[in-house]
Amino acid sequence: MKAYLIIINILSFVLYGIDKLKAIKKKERISERTLILIGILGGSIGSITGMNIFRHKTKKLKFIISLPLILIIHIIVVIYLF
């Protein structure tokens, strides 16, 4: 479980960086649905970090609200399970 969370968060962080580069180069982008989904699947910390480091999707209300909310839900689930 620990390895999964590390890998999914690294992946989500990298996806935000890739999408930012694609946006700058005006190339085909990673869908917003995919970026949010990777957060839901356990990559919320990587998504939030990537969003802030790469300054990507920081003005989109959908991301500003959903990613921290997903992180809070993940924390609650972890606390409940352990």
Side-chain angles (χ1 to χ4, degrees), residues 22-66:
K22 286 182 172 197
I24 291 169
K25 294 181 179 185
K26 298 192 185 326
K27 295 199 174 186
E28 188 174 340
R29 309 270 304 277
I30 298 168
S31 72
E32 289 185 351
R33 184 182 214 171
T34 300
L35 293 173
I36 298 246
L37 181 61
I38 195 126
I40 291 170
L41 294 175
S44 56
I45 293 173
S47 294
I48 292 168
T49 304
M51 196 171 97
N52 288 304
I53 296 276
F54 300 116
R55 295 181 186 196
H56 190 52
K57 304 290 186 189
T58 56
K59 294 181 181 175
K60 294 247 178 181
L61 194 59
K62 180 191 313 185
F63 287 84
I64 293 169
I65 293 173
S66 67

